[in-house]
Amino acid sequence: MTKKTRLEIPPDEGLLGPAVDFVVSFAMRFEFPEPRQEKLRGALLAALSMVMENNKGGKSDQPVSMEVAESDGKLLVRILNRGVPILLGSSDGGPQMPCVAKFRQASRHADRISMENLGRKGQAVALEFKLGVSPAARSASAADDAPEIPEDESMTLRGLAAGEEQALSRLFYLVYGYDYIHESVYYPEKLKSMIQGGDLISVVATRPNGRIVGHVGLVRRSAKPPVYEAAMGVVDPAIKSRGLFGRIFAKTMEKVRSTPMQYCLFDFVTNHDLSQRHIARYGYRELALFTGCQTYKTQARLAHLGLGPDPEGMNRYSILLAIIPTVPHPFGRKVTLPENIGEPLGFLLPPLGLEWTPASRFQPLPAAGRYNTRLEPAQSAVHFDLVEAGGRAIEGIARDWSDLMANGYQYAAVETAADLPALGAVCDSLSGHGFFAAGFVPYHPPDRLGVRLQAVGPANLAFDKIKVATEPSRRLLDLVRKDFESSR
């Protein structure tokens, strides 16, 4: 079966390196030999820079797309140019001569290169490279490799070493293909930059031969106050049921305890509860349940991970949001809430060191209000940040959500500060438009408590298949389900 992916980048020469790294990382999945990697880099740099230089200086703002595929033992790369046409026929020293030189330079490294005219769709520079390993042979080799890993083989837990970023990208491909929710894992140079800048603390597990087979990262979400998220948790499918994830996470928690931070944030996919059970021993505090916020397409198949079959009838996955505090009061000591929020969700606050007091019942909704919108097309989701309460803002959110549902969007979230004036009226108004409770969230700044309400479009949520591991999270699930059914 053909393996393929696609990348779209602005016409900015500063992105040449990351784009080339992306393709090389894809090629490495197929045991592309190192000497050939340099030829691949040379051909891609020449071909991409030809397209970029042809459009620089404001001639075109059209993005450059790359289609990358493996088929029949060959790596196929098509660079799509929808900007100024490239005319290779010019050989008289005219303005197209730099393009001719770049094309010839690329041809010296690629096994095959051609220019395709796509009519209204522009042009494509097509490059071909022999991989040397057939897909069938590679699949057989991969299938034979896993059982050969001894059960008692010693794994080393350590930080990611310089130069191992491509190997980490390869691990994510083995588990997720090119569908992992955080695209940065497919850019080795971006991973390197995050680590050097202190935005990523990486813990990996390696075999004696140095191969990376597991990873957990701490991603810095805020510098003031410092807040990190435990993310990028992944274990090679060849290492199943050996407790490796638990060992990596124990090492990660050592980093949490030794790194100054307000709290560590977690989001658990609830199509299984393995990671929840592993991390529950460290005392996480539940905040919210984002029901149907992600498409199943960006999640690794459970059967592939050795965790049994995927839930049937569920085309949207839910996220349990939780934190492990490292200070006594990560969101302060007291918060004032309307009773329609405090009464059902108040049980989540004492573990956070928070007390809530009822807000006045007589807080009418102002006329105007203000909100910001952020789209997540990959998840068919929209996020509304309600900055100021107001009737026109609520109606605008409801209208925007209706329009987005008509265009295929399936999840909406409204987040606002927990101490927002007239929050009770906001919740009542939004519930009239199909929104229901999700729980509490860190608001901006992240030591300020916020509230999320949510809505879902036509989707099968399969509440009975949502798996949570603790009593507070089961109580939260029951509350969210009842509020969802009421909103319908």
Side-chain angles (χ1 to χ4, degrees):
M1 182 175 66
T2 300
K3 307 286 187 181
K4 59 183 178 180
T5 187
R6 181 184 176 96
L7 177 68
E8 190 169 275
I9 55 176
D12 180 349
E13 292 184 1
L15 299 174
L16 282 172
V20 170
D21 287 339
F22 179 84
V23 179
V24 173
S25 296
F26 181 95
M28 285 177 63
R29 168 67 179 89
F30 306 100
E31 301 177 19
F32 202 62
E34 190 168 343
R36 299 274 292 159
Q37 289 177 31
E38 292 308 309
K39 285 185 171 294
L40 175 60
R41 286 182 182 277
L44 290 172
L45 281 171
L48 268 173
S49 62
M50 175 181 69
V51 176
M52 296 281 195
E53 290 177 7
N54 197 58
N55 288 284
K56 71 180 180 181
K59 296 177 184 176
S60 172
D61 60 356
Q62 289 289 328
V64 178
S65 298
M66 286 201 304
E67 296 175 348
V68 188
E70 176 275 331
S71 182
D72 296 327
K74 297 176 182 177
L75 180 72
L76 310 175
V77 182
R78 295 177 82 238
I79 302 170
L80 305 181
N81 173 39
R82 296 207 65 191
V84 179
I86 296 171
L87 307 176
L88 295 178
S90 176
S91 58
D92 57 358
Q96 291 291 326
M97 272 304 291
C99 291
V100 174
K102 292 287 186 181
F103 189 86
R104 288 174 178 169
Q105 182 181 347
S107 68
R108 286 196 291 268
H109 298 294
D111 294 321
R112 184 178 179 183
I113 184 171
S114 62
M115 180 72 75
E116 302 173 4
N117 188 337
L118 305 179
R120 293 179 184 272
K121 295 182 179 180
Q123 298 170 296
V125 184
L127 303 101
E128 185 177 299
F129 305 85
K130 294 178 182 178
L131 292 170
V133 181
S134 72
R138 186 172 55 255
S139 298
S141 174
D144 292 341
D145 181 56
E148 295 177 0
I149 300 177
E151 289 286 342
D152 59 350
E153 183 174 86
S154 176
M155 302 290 175
T156 300
L157 304 182
R158 57 173 175 79
L160 186 73
E164 290 185 321
E165 296 84 8
Q166 288 190 349
L168 182 57
S169 292
R170 178 183 183 276
L171 174 61
F172 276 93
Y173 175 84
L174 288 174
V175 178
Y176 289 94
Y178 284 98
D179 293 324
Y180 188 64
I181 187 171
H182 298 300
E183 194 178 17
S184 58
V185 301
Y186 301 113
Y187 293 87
E189 288 301 317
K190 186 175 291 188
L191 293 173
K192 180 180 179 180
S193 177
M194 290 173 68
I195 292 172
Q196 290 178 340
D199 293 321
L200 174 62
I201 300 172
S202 261
V203 177
V204 297
T206 61
R207 297 182 60 194
N209 62 6
R211 176 178 167 181
I212 296 175
V213 291
H215 177 266
V216 173
L218 293 175
V219 180
R220 186 165 61 186
R221 296 303 183 196
S222 169
K224 294 183 179 180
V227 170
Y228 288 78
E229 178 184 358
M232 303 182 187
V234 64
V235 173
D236 193 316
I239 314 293
K240 297 176 181 178
S241 305
R242 303 190 192 184
L244 183 59
F245 176 80
R247 291 167 54 200
I248 301 172
F249 191 79
K251 188 73 172 178
T252 305
M253 282 305 298
E254 294 178 11
K255 296 288 187 182
V256 171
R257 288 188 286 267
S258 63
T259 303
M261 67 178 72
Q262 192 91 347
Y263 56 83
C264 188
L265 189 67
F266 299 83
D267 54 11
F268 302 107
V269 182
T270 57
N271 59 327
H272 66 85
D273 62 358
L274 177 65
S275 55
Q276 297 174 55
R277 288 189 281 108
H278 272 303
I279 300 169
R281 70 190 71 175
Y282 298 99
Y284 62 74
R285 274 71 155 169
E286 297 83 350
L287 288 179
L289 183 68
F290 304 156
T291 311
C293 67
Q294 290 188 359
T295 172
Y296 72 95
K297 296 178 182 178
T298 55
Q299 299 301 325
R301 305 280 74 82
L302 296 188
H304 185 55
L305 299 176
L307 299 177
D310 288 277
E312 295 182 4
M314 181 186 289
N315 59 7
R316 301 289 297 182
Y317 284 174
S318 302
I319 294 290
L320 176 68
L321 184 72
I323 68 167
I324 292 180
T326 55
V327 297
H329 306 281
F331 300 106
R333 295 175 180 271
K334 293 185 178 181
V335 62
T336 300
L337 295 171
E339 291 188 357
N340 57 356
I341 292 292
E343 288 292 347
L345 294 171
F347 72 96
L348 297 170
L349 299 178
L352 300 172
L354 263 174
E355 296 180 19
W356 76 276
T357 57
S360 170
R361 297 185 181 184
F362 304 102
Q363 291 184 327
L365 193 63
R370 181 165 59 92
Y371 67 95
N372 299 318
T373 304
R374 176 171 57 87
L375 300 178
E376 283 190 4
Q379 300 295 343
S380 302
V382 57
H383 295 258
F384 299 106
D385 180 2
L386 184 61
V387 181
E388 297 175 6
R392 285 199 292 273
I394 300 300
E395 292 302 319
I397 288 172
R399 182 177 58 253
D400 291 351
W401 170 227
S402 178
D403 291 343
L404 287 165
M405 273 197 293
N407 284 283
Y409 275 67
Q410 294 186 309
Y411 181 81
V414 177
E415 292 188 356
T416 192
D419 56 3
L420 182 79
L423 178 59
V426 166
C427 295
D428 289 340
S429 297
L430 285 170
S431 66
H433 295 289
F435 284 82
F436 58 99
F440 297 109
V441 293
Y443 199 58
H444 40 84
D447 55 350
R448 185 183 185 190
L449 192 69
V451 172
R452 176 184 284 203
L453 300 177
Q454 57 192 346
V456 292
N460 190 345
L461 298 180
F463 272 97
D464 292 336
K465 304 292 178 62
I466 294 176
K467 296 183 179 181
V468 291
T470 66
E471 181 56 36
S473 57
R474 284 188 283 270
R475 185 175 173 183
L476 177 61
L477 172 59
D478 185 57
L479 182 154
V480 170
R481 181 174 187 171
K482 288 179 179 177
D483 204 28
F484 165 76
E485 292 169 349
S486 297
S487 73
R488 291 303 208 189

